[in-house]
Amino acid sequence: MSTIESAQSEKRLFPPSGAFVQQAHLDSEGLRVLHDEASADPGAFWLGQAEQLVWRTRPTQGLDDSQHPFVRWFADGRLNLTESCLDRHLHTARRNKAALIWEGEPGDHRVLTYFELHREVCRTAAALLRLGIKTGDRVIVYMPMVPELVIAVLACARIGATHSVIFGGFSAEAIRDRINDAGAIAVITADGGYRRGKVVPLKHNVDEALQHCPGIRHVIVVSRTGQDITMHPGRDHFYSDLVKAESGHCEPAIVPAEHPLFILYTSGTTGKPKGVVHSTGGYGTQVAFTAKHVFDLRDEDTYFCTADVGWVTGHSYIVYGPLIHGATVVIYEGAPDTPHKGRFWEIIDKWGVTIFYTAPTAIRAFMRWGDQFPRGYRMDTLRLLGTVGEPINPAAWMWYHEHIGRGRCPIVDTWWQTETGGIMVSPLPGATVTKPGSCTRPLPGIAVEVIHKDGTRCGPNEGGYLVITRSWPGQLRTVWGDPERYRKTYFGDLTVDGRSVYFTGDGARFDEDGYLWVMGRVDDVLNVAGHRIGTAEVESALVGHPHVAEAAVVGRPDELKGQAIVAFVTLRSSHAKTPDTADILKAHVVHEIGAIARPDEIRFTDALPKTRSGKIMRRLLREIATTGHAVGDVTTLEDLAVLTRLSATDSDEE
Ligand code: WTA
C-alpha cells in the first residue's frame, strides 16, 4: 500500500525474565501447544475456552458461520455472565476478597469484596426489575468512574437488559443520539463527577438530552457530588431510595449465548455513531481467555486499568475479564495529574498494584511531565505492564519499561478494537520475546493477515490492510438496528481466497520474524489520545454551526496525542471571520460531541480541494496540515489554485 510506508526498524529484543516465566500461566512451550490446538480445530479450541464461564446449559456448538458474515458462537448454550463474575466466587475463599478498590479523585476511597459487590449488583438489579425494566430492554449508563458504574453495568447484565455505557465526557447531543438509536427506556447516571478538581454536570446533560428522547421512562441518579440538580417527578429516582428496599437477592436472567450483552457506540466514517453489538457467551469467552493469559492474572494480583468503563477497554478489562477470574481491580475516578502528576504512582504504592494497564498517550504525557514523578515512588509490587489504544512508539515503550517497570516487568502491547471485544494480538508475558513498538503475534485461535487490496498476502515488511480471516467468539455481531451497515463497514471489498474477510480499518505489516506492526487507521477515523473519532462526526458538528458553509477534518501527527484534529473551514459568505470565530467553533464542537473532539487547530479557507466528482481530497489536506503544503499526486484535483490558497490559509494556531 503506497500510502503507508514504514520508517521503523526496531531491533531491540526483550525476552521475559526466568523468574517471570517460572510463575506464568503459559511459557513458550505452553503457548506453542495452545497454538497447535487452536489451528488443528478452532471450534473445539474455543469450546474448551468457553469452559472458563459458568453455564446453565453448556454449549455443544462452536462457530456457526452459515449466515456469513453474521455469526453465532456457542448457540445452544445458556448462561448469565454475572454468575461467572460474582456468584461463582461466593463459595470460595474469594468471598471476602476485594473485588473493587476504588479511589475517588478528591482522595476518598471504597473497597467492595466479592460478597458486597454481588449484593449491591443484586439490589440494583432487583430495583431495575421493580421499575419494570426487563430482559431485552436497553439501558443507558452515563456515569463517573465510581463503584456504582460497575454495579449498574452488572445489574443490567443480571436481568438480561442490554447496557450501553456512554463515556462521561460526552455532551447532551451525543447522549441524545445514542439513546434514540438504541431505543433505550432508562438511564442510570449521577448528579455529577469529579474531573481535574471540577464537577462535571452529568445529570444536567442528561436532562438536556432527554428533551428529545421520548422513549426514556426512568432516570436513576447516584449521588456523587451532592450538587444541585433538578429531579423530574415520576421519571427521576435517587439510586439510594430505590435500592434501600432491596434484599440483595436477585435471580439472574438466564439468556442464550447470543443474547446482546451490550451496545457500545464507536466512531465510523459517517457522522452517525455505530452501535457495536456484543454477545454474552462469545464475548465472555474471549475476555475470559485473554484476561487470564495476556495479564497472567492470579489470585494474588492487584490489577489497575486506567481506562474509563465508558470505553471497551473498561468493559472487557475492568469489569468482565478480571471479575471472571476473581481478581482485585483498582479503579480511579479522576485525572492522572490531580492533585499532582504522581497520582497513578501513588495509587500503585498505596494498594500494592501488581499489573498496570494504560494507553500510549498517557505514557507520552508522563514522559513529558518528567522522570521525577515516578522516581518518587517505590512501585516494587509491579510485575506486568500493558498498553492499548494506539501504536506505541519505541521511545515511549522504552520509557515505560525503564521508569515504570524498572527494567523488571514485561510489557504487553495489546492490539484490539471495540469491535473485537477482546485482545487479538499481543505478547503473552511469560512466553513472548517482545520488540518495542510491535504488538507481536496473534493469540491462539485468532487468524490475522496483512493483504493487498486484491486479496493477495503482503510479504515481510510490506504494508497493507489488516484483516481477520476467521471469526472469533468476541466478534461484534452486528451494528445495532443496521445489519447492512455492519456488512458494508466490516465485510466490504476485501476478500481472501474468494471469501469476504473482516477489515479492521488499520494498516499494518508483518516483519521478517512474523511480528505485527500496526501503522494506524487507513480510513477517515482519527485516533486522538487513544480515542477513535470519526472525521465525519466532527465535520457534521462544524457544518451544523450557522456560520459554517463547509468543513473537512483531518489528523496531523501529534507527539502527545498520537493525532491532533485539524479542521479546514469555509465560512458562509454572510459571516465574516472575527478574532474569536475559531474559539466559537471549537466550543461548538465540544457542545455537540464533547471535549475529546475539540479541534486543535482551525484553518479558514475560501474553498476545499475536491475531485471532479466533488469528493474532498483529505489526503491533500492531511499533507497541508502536517507539512504546510501538498506534495502528493494532484491529478484528480478540480481546481489547482485551491492548493496555493490553502497552503497560505489562515490558521488560529500560531
Ligand atoms: C488502535 C481500543 C496499535 C487501532 C481497544 C485500532 C492500536 C483502534 C492498539 C481501536 C495497539 C488499539 N497498537 N494500534 N496496541 N490498540 N489500536 O475501538 O487503530 O477504541 O483499530 O479499541 O485503536 O480503537 P478502539
Side-chain angles (χ1 to χ4, degrees):
M1 196 159 40
S2 57
T3 47
I4 297 193
E5 249 161 53
S6 167
Q8 271 184 357
S9 60
E10 178 58 50
K11 292 280 178 262
R12 287 168 288 202
L13 296 178
F14 293 84
S17 71
F20 197 99
V21 175
Q22 248 184 354
Q23 55 76 59
H25 285 311
L26 274 183
D27 58 11
S28 53
E29 180 53 21
L31 176 59
R32 198 186 54 77
V33 171
L34 269 194
H35 269 296
D36 288 350
E37 256 180 56
S39 44
D41 187 348
F45 168 77
W46 284 117
L47 265 176
Q49 294 304 329
E51 298 282 317
Q52 295 192 36
L53 304 182
V54 176
W55 296 85
R56 289 292 183 103
T57 307
R58 280 174 65 189
T60 62
Q61 304 160 2
L63 168 65
D64 171 4
D65 201 10
S66 56
Q67 309 290 317
H68 184 79
F70 297 92
V71 299
R72 304 194 305 161
W73 278 90
F74 316 127
D76 59 346
R78 296 176 66 82
L79 75 166
N80 181 291
L81 200 53
T82 67
E83 290 200 297
S84 298
C85 297
L86 301 170
D87 304 61
R88 68 147 44 134
H89 305 308
L90 299 185
H91 310 291
T92 72
R94 291 174 183 152
R95 177 185 175 86
N96 295 316
K97 173 181 176 178
L100 290 184
I101 296 177
W102 171 78
E103 276 278 325
E105 190 180 85
D108 43 347
H109 78 262
R110 242 175 101 190
V111 178
L112 278 100
T113 64
Y114 272 94
F115 174 79
E116 290 173 301
L117 183 60
H118 174 267
R119 185 184 60 206
E120 294 313 308
V121 168
C122 286
R123 292 171 77 202
T124 307
L128 295 179
L129 285 175
R130 210 177 285 274
L131 290 176
I133 299 165
K134 50 184 197 315
T135 305
D137 287 337
R138 273 82 59 208
V139 176
I140 298 293
V141 180
Y142 177 68
M143 288 179 69
M145 281 280 283
V146 292
E148 287 81 2
L149 168 53
V150 176
I151 293 167
V153 162
L154 292 169
C156 291
R158 187 79 174 174
I159 65 167
T162 299
H163 56 76
S164 186
V165 185
I166 301 176
F167 171 58
F170 276 116
S171 70
E173 280 65 19
I175 304 168
R176 176 198 63 202
D177 294 346
R178 286 159 173 75
I179 287 176
N180 289 333
D181 188 86
I185 65 161
V187 180
I188 308 177
T189 187
D191 47 2
Y194 294 106
R195 187 76 194 173
R196 282 214 170 80
K198 291 202 196 102
V199 168
V200 186
L202 298 172
K203 174 64 165 66
H204 173 81
N205 292 347
V206 169
D207 288 341
E208 219 180 295
L210 292 194
Q211 290 174 9
H212 310 280
C213 302
I216 293 293
R217 284 184 243 147
H218 299 288
V219 178
I220 299 163
V221 185
V222 171
S223 299
R224 166 62 181 138
T225 57
Q227 72 206 81
D228 272 346
I229 53 171
T230 318
M231 294 293 277
H232 296 245
R235 187 194 75 183
D236 297 357
H237 321 269
F238 278 110
Y239 173 83
S240 52
D241 294 343
L242 289 183
V243 300
K244 200 160 49 195
E246 305 297 345
S247 69
H249 180 79
C250 180
E251 272 302 307
I254 305 303
V255 297
E258 281 299 314
H259 182 74
L261 178 68
F262 66 87
I263 304 170
L264 191 55
Y265 284 87
T266 187
S267 296
T269 52
T270 74
K272 191 173 179 294
K274 278 192 300 237
V276 167
V277 178
H278 278 292
S279 70
T280 304
Y283 169 81
T285 298
Q286 182 99 23
V287 299
F289 170 66
T290 49
K292 174 170 176 181
H293 290 300
V294 175
F295 298 116
D296 190 48
L297 267 184
R298 324 164 63 75
D299 256 312
E300 314 81 79
D301 279 316
T302 303
Y303 164 91
F304 178 18
C305 168
T306 67
D308 191 288
V309 174
W311 309 113
V312 73
T313 303
H315 283 61
S316 301
Y317 301 110
I318 289 178
V319 184
Y320 292 107
L323 297 182
I324 286 169
H325 295 293
T328 294
V329 180
V330 174
I331 60 175
Y332 170 55
E333 177 183 34
D337 54 355
T338 308
H340 58 80
K341 294 189 169 70
R343 189 69 195 268
F344 282 176
W345 323 131
E346 182 181 65
I347 291 172
I348 288 173
D349 274 0
K350 177 171 175 189
W351 298 105
V353 169
T354 57
I355 303 172
F356 180 67
Y357 191 31
T358 195
T361 184
I363 297 169
R364 289 191 297 266
F366 307 147
M367 287 171 76
R368 200 183 53 159
W369 294 342
D371 308 347
Q372 68 276 21
F373 294 102
R375 203 181 300 128
Y377 298 88
R378 296 176 62 87
M379 292 197 276
D380 52 355
T381 50
L382 282 176
R383 68 180 192 95
L384 175 62
L385 304 175
T387 89
V388 61
E390 57 183 307
I392 181 165
N393 47 308
W397 196 103
M398 289 305 301
W399 186 91
Y400 198 29
H401 174 72
E402 281 165 24
H403 294 273
I404 308 304
R406 310 272 155 97
R408 175 185 76 232
C409 305
I411 296 178
V412 288
D413 173 359
T414 63
W415 179 89
W416 59 296
Q417 309 180 290
T418 305
E419 293 87 344
T420 68
I423 297 167
M424 302 291 278
V425 184
S426 171
L428 293 187
T432 313
V433 177
T434 51
K435 300 185 185 186
S438 167
C439 52
T440 74
R441 294 163 184 276
L443 296 179
I446 302 299
V448 167
E449 308 225 24
V450 175
I451 62 170
H452 300 112
K453 191 131 205 167
D454 66 5
T456 54
R457 291 172 177 83
C458 293
N461 292 317
E462 212 185 333
Y465 299 92
L466 182 64
V467 297
I468 307 169
T469 54
R470 194 184 333 110
S471 180
W472 63 103
Q475 178 182 336
L476 82 159
R477 295 303 193 257
T478 187
V479 170
W480 181 259
D482 198 349
E484 201 37 45
R485 187 168 178 198
Y486 162 79
R487 184 202 297 274
K488 274 211 204 107
T489 309
Y490 301 108
F491 294 87
D493 316 330
L494 296 174
T495 58
V496 170
D497 303 330
R499 201 176 141 81
S500 69
V501 290
Y502 173 90
F503 177 41
T504 61
D506 284 355
R509 70 182 162 98
F510 277 111
D511 71 12
E512 59 285 356
D513 300 322
Y515 276 48
L516 187 70
W517 299 78
V518 174
M519 295 140 107
R521 310 280 314 172
V522 301
D523 53 20
D524 288 332
V525 176
L526 309 175
N527 191 326
V528 179
H531 300 310
R532 276 163 67 182
I533 297 169
T535 52
E537 261 178 286
V538 185
E539 286 163 5
S540 84
L542 283 167
V543 292
H545 190 278
H547 293 188
V548 176
E550 208 170 25
V553 168
V554 297
R556 115 163 101 64
D558 181 89
E559 213 178 296
L560 204 60
K561 299 198 289 183
Q563 280 189 305
I565 302 180
V566 181
F568 290 84
V569 169
T570 307
L571 294 176
R572 287 174 195 252
S573 43
S574 50
H575 289 283
K577 180 176 167 282
T578 62
D580 53 359
T581 307
D583 288 336
I584 292 170
L585 295 182
K586 288 180 185 177
H588 179 71
V589 172
V590 172
H591 182 257
E592 292 294 307
I593 306 176
I596 47 171
R598 181 201 308 273
D600 295 274
E601 185 186 347
I602 295 192
R603 299 178 71 142
F604 295 95
T605 169
D606 60 350
L608 292 169
K610 290 189 186 157
T611 63
R612 270 150 251 241
S613 64
K615 274 183 126 172
I616 293 175
M617 297 180 74
R618 291 161 194 293
R619 181 179 51 77
L620 295 183
L621 292 176
R622 266 193 293 273
E623 285 168 7
I624 289 164
T626 308
T627 64
H629 54 273
V631 288
D633 181 16
V634 294
T635 45
T636 52
L637 184 67
E638 169 76 7
D639 173 11
L640 263 178
V642 167
L643 275 190
T644 14
R645 277 179 281 154
L646 263 177
S647 307
T649 46
D650 178 10
S651 166
D652 75 303
E653 213 185 47
E654 293 319 321

